[in-house]
Amino acid sequence: MKLHRTTPFSSGHQFLEAPRWHDGRLWASDFFAGHVLRIEADGSHQPVAEIEGAPSGLGFLADGSILVVSQATATVRRIAPDGAVTEYADFSHIATGLGNDMLVSPSGHAYVGNFGFALGSEDPRTTNLAHVDPEGKVHRVFGDVLFPNGAALTADGRTLLLAETFAHRISAFDITEDGSPANLRTWAQLPDTVHPDGIALDTDGGVWFGNALDPGPASGFYRVLEGGEITDHIPTPDTWSIACAFGGAELDVLHLMCNTTTLEEFHEGRSAGEVRTASVGRRGVDPARTG
């Protein structure tokens, strides 16, 4: 297994999630600060919008607006180019827990996850993804998934890859002609000690993911191939390893969302978040050019 080192990039955050590279910059949600961030090449950052109910998954529409999940309300909010925030879609009738990560395709289809249960107070149970079509209509995705989390589209736009955190696997859906996910199956089964969170896809077909465990030897970011072979590890033993995204001019720098907290502190809304980077010798699939 190849090991890679990290370099500090951006600090002064609380709990970072949903990194996205867009328009030459890194974007992310800060759960506990309650806002969407734009992070510049030098690591400086500024809030773009405050999101009621805590922001999570992010995506971008062709008109320049940003879609962001509001966790507590299980809605998708739209941040217009002028900064105005409005409700875009309500998926609360599908969610059985807090809203979670989201992927928005270049054609405007959004695939939204939710916890499925009350983390820390209920036993894990399955839920369903919500599919928000380009007209803003919400559809239930058939196929039970366990804590659906980070997602990625393959370069041809035909397969949606999904991290199921508490099922210890990366799953796959086919994307049908109308943009609906179908034919849920296991893409890579992972060891029971591994809890995949946010993911990023490289051009060689590998999925990079954060192993959302307490700090320790197994913490860090990993690369897995279809079938389950783990090829790379980026150790981050001092922090929670949450999500990652390729960025930089050549999409060859992996940006890592690292949050130092404990489960007790997390439930109290306390964390220190930072972005680290790693050069892993691969390039990411450009999410704006899939399909």
Side-chain angles (χ1 to χ4, degrees):
M1 185 186 304
K2 293 181 181 179
L3 295 178
H4 307 277
R5 296 181 179 179
T6 65
T7 300
F9 176 63
S10 181
S11 59
H13 310 288
Q14 294 188 41
F15 194 94
L16 295 173
E17 251 283 20
R20 307 287 187 261
W21 186 262
H22 176 73
D23 195 26
R25 297 179 179 89
L26 184 69
W27 305 68
S29 288
D30 191 324
F31 277 9
F32 298 156
H35 52 234
V36 174
L37 285 168
R38 183 175 64 231
I39 305 174
E40 304 296 337
D42 62 359
S44 63
H45 49 88
Q46 64 181 47
V48 174
E50 302 291 324
I51 300 299
E52 177 189 359
S56 186
L58 293 175
F60 302 86
L61 295 178
D63 65 1
S65 59
I66 306 168
L67 298 185
V68 55
V69 171
S70 168
Q71 286 189 296
T73 65
T75 60
V76 177
R77 305 287 179 163
R78 176 181 177 266
I79 306 172
D82 64 2
V85 180
T86 56
E87 183 174 300
Y88 181 79
D90 185 332
F91 62 97
S92 59
H93 60 292
I94 294 174
T96 52
L98 293 176
N100 199 18
D101 215 339
M102 172 180 65
L103 182 144
V104 180
S105 76
S107 56
H109 292 271
Y111 309 103
V112 194
N114 68 91
F115 284 18
F117 58 95
L119 184 64
S121 62
E122 293 183 330
D123 291 334
R125 62 175 182 267
T126 59
T127 186
N128 300 113
L129 289 180
H131 168 210
V132 184
D133 66 28
E135 287 71 45
K137 296 179 180 178
V138 180
H139 313 269
R140 184 184 299 272
V141 176
F142 293 101
D144 293 338
V145 286
L146 187 57
F147 209 93
N149 218 321
L153 274 179
T154 54
D156 60 9
R158 296 179 180 176
T159 304
L160 175 70
L161 300 175
L162 176 73
E164 291 189 66
T165 302
F166 285 94
H168 319 286
R169 65 181 171 232
I170 307 296
S171 298
F173 288 92
D174 294 331
I175 298 298
T176 61
E177 289 187 5
D178 68 356
S180 301
N183 188 28
L184 174 64
R185 59 196 182 279
T186 297
W187 188 85
Q189 187 65 51
L190 300 164
D192 289 348
T193 55
V194 175
H195 297 76
D197 197 324
I199 69 174
L201 181 63
D202 66 43
T203 55
D204 296 313
V207 168
W208 297 81
F209 63 88
N211 184 19
L213 290 170
D214 289 337
S219 186
F221 296 83
Y222 292 83
R223 178 179 185 264
V224 65
L225 297 175
E226 185 173 9
E229 179 187 357
I230 295 176
T231 63
D232 295 68
H233 181 205
I234 308 170
T236 57
D238 57 333
T239 187
W240 284 15
S241 311
I242 299 299
C244 54
F246 281 98
E250 302 296 328
L251 288 182
D252 59 351
V253 177
L254 198 58
H255 294 75
L256 315 169
M257 304 295 104
C258 301
N259 299 298
T260 302
T261 186
T262 66
L263 190 59
E264 179 181 2
E265 290 171 340
F266 177 82
H267 286 298
E268 294 173 351
R270 293 189 289 129
S271 171
E274 64 174 314
V275 184
R276 302 176 189 176
T277 60
S279 296
V280 295
R282 300 181 189 276
R283 295 183 179 180
V285 171
D286 187 349
R289 298 180 180 274
T290 54

